Amino acid sequence: MMDLDERKRHILKALINDYIVTAEPVGSRTIAKRYRLGISSATIRNEMADLEDMGYLEQPHTSAGRIPSDKGYRVYVDCLMGSEKLSNQEIELIKNSICSVIEGEINRIIKEMTKVLSALTNYTVMVMAPQTMNSMVKHIQLIAIDDLHVMAVVVTNFSVVNSSSITLSRPIDSDKLMTINNILNDKLKGLTLEEINLKIISEVQNSVTGYSEIFNEIIPILYKSLKKRDKGEIYLEGSSNIFNYPEYNAIDKAKQFLTMLDKKDLLRNLLSCDGD
DNA sequence: CCACTAAACGATATTTTGGT
DNA sequence: ACCAAAATATCGTTTAGTGG
């Protein structure tokens, strides 16, 4: 990461700046001209070749400029771009939105933060709940609908409420149902999907002998409720901001693309999409 | 003398232009 | 609409100049 000397860093920074604005590969000459680093394009060319060897840049094809690689963006973000202080106004916006949802469920909070981030940056923002945010059982409620039908409601800390009905082969009285309900909550509340292992399951199973029917139905429901969140819902805000940036100067590109296509090309494109 | 810089050259890929 | 030639952009390498 820090195997970059001062000059390489300058060049990398200039190149990425340029690329962010133009979304076109950036050549050595462009950098020499536009950024006045006091060195010639040839020197920059050499440095760029080094940077490419080191994996910070990529070349779409020979005789094109370079574009930053993921690794290049990484150092840009980590060390090169510098940071700006937030304005008071921006800080207020963040504070307010936090206050408005702080009591809420975590998915509302994430959604709100996604919105704020998009509003502050004018970028399209996608947020995915990280793996560590495993959902956890908050409450289980069994509700008797009639003698043979029970509604199972599972609430997780993500406020995901999953209700499913269970059909029994023989009736159950409400006292017994209550007991089972309590056992389930006792044993499972606060546990994440990973923590509900075989040991716990068999423990619960032993405690509710005679009503394995309910139990057997409950497990998949639990699993589904927790899994739902673990799949990592994606929060998306500001999708229209995509149009603000050159890489996706979509209207122009789309126009170009469409005029480029005649029927034959269109057909070919459609067919080749299949293969990929 | 060596390391480094920059100019010059040749090669290659893309884009534009112009004729059919 | 299509193709080929010309113009353009960029690279990598070689070569010459320069300061320590």
Side-chain angles (χ1 to χ4, degrees):
Chain A
M1 184 89 74
M2 266 312 160
D3 49 347
L4 294 170
D5 58 35
E6 191 69 17
R7 196 169 64 185
K8 283 192 176 59
R9 285 206 292 270
H10 275 128
I11 291 171
L12 186 58
K13 186 175 173 183
L15 189 142
I16 294 180
N17 280 335
D18 207 83
Y19 186 67
I20 287 172
V21 175
T22 63
E24 299 291 337
V26 187
S28 51
R29 187 126 176 267
T30 314
I31 291 182
K33 244 192 245 166
R34 211 171 307 180
Y35 293 88
R36 302 263 165 247
L37 295 178
I39 48 185
S40 78
S41 68
T43 308
I44 293 173
R45 212 155 33 242
N46 290 330
E47 295 285 30
M48 275 163 64
D50 290 348
L51 286 169
E52 188 176 2
D53 288 341
M54 290 186 246
Y56 295 107
L57 298 178
E58 287 164 7
Q59 200 173 16
H61 57 81
T62 60
S63 94
R66 304 304 215 290
I67 62 176
S69 66
D70 289 350
K71 193 177 167 190
Y73 277 127
R74 185 75 261 160
V75 294
Y76 182 77
V77 171
D78 287 346
C79 341
L80 265 33
M81 68 188 280
S83 57
E84 286 175 34
K85 283 251 181 326
L86 290 173
S87 71
N88 287 336
Q89 200 183 355
E90 289 166 329
I91 292 172
E92 274 307 301
L93 178 60
I94 294 172
K95 272 188 188 159
N96 289 339
S97 65
I98 288 178
C99 290
S100 75
V101 292
I102 201 68
E103 293 295 318
E105 296 297 340
I106 198 154
N107 61 346
R108 270 200 61 210
I109 297 175
I110 296 176
K111 191 167 168 48
E112 185 65 21
M113 291 306 109
T114 309
K115 237 187 240 170
V116 170
L117 200 51
S118 175
L120 291 180
T121 60
N122 287 324
Y123 279 107
T124 301
V125 177
M126 279 188 280
V127 173
M128 201 167 84
Q131 245 11 250
T132 51
M133 293 179 72
N134 286 328
S135 34
M136 169 190 101
V137 180
K138 204 165 161 189
H139 187 68
I140 299 169
Q141 184 69 51
L142 299 175
I143 302 157
I145 297 172
D146 58 38
D147 276 0
L148 290 176
H149 294 92
V150 174
M151 174 81 79
V153 180
V154 177
V155 184
T156 73
N157 60 330
F158 285 98
S159 86
V160 175
V161 178
N162 219 341
S163 55
S164 313
S165 72
I166 300 169
T167 307
L168 304 171
S169 56
R170 58 198 171 92
I172 184 169
D173 65 68
S174 59
D175 278 357
K176 189 69 190 176
L177 191 65
M178 182 85 84
T179 311
I180 295 172
N181 200 148
N182 289 340
I183 292 170
L184 287 174
N185 275 304
D186 269 6
K187 303 276 185 190
L188 300 178
K189 200 186 274 187
L191 298 184
T192 64
L193 187 59
E194 278 78 39
E195 286 164 341
I196 302 178
N197 52 26
L198 280 180
K199 182 164 159 272
I200 301 244
I201 289 174
S202 66
E203 220 178 286
V204 179
Q205 201 160 23
N206 290 335
S207 317
V208 292
T209 47
Y211 290 92
S212 57
E213 206 167 16
I214 288 185
F215 177 76
N216 287 339
E217 295 283 342
I218 272 284
I219 292 298
I221 293 170
L222 269 178
Y223 191 77
K224 245 198 284 179
S225 314
L226 295 173
K227 199 69 185 175
K228 204 178 191 177
R229 180 60 48 178
D230 275 351
K231 277 208 172 137
E233 190 152 315
I234 291 174
Y235 301 79
L236 180 66
E237 284 293 335
S239 8
S240 64
N241 287 335
I242 278 183
F243 295 115
N244 298 343
Y245 295 93
E247 176 101 39
Y248 299 100
N249 201 330
I251 294 170
D252 280 2
K253 292 268 156 134
K255 268 189 198 158
Q256 248 179 38
F257 190 61
L258 289 174
T259 53
M260 232 169 62
L261 292 175
D262 59 17
K263 274 182 198 161
K264 190 180 62 191
D265 284 336
L266 186 60
L267 200 62
R268 193 166 56 222
N269 274 303
L270 286 174
L271 289 176
S272 71
C273 282
D274 242 26
D276 291 338

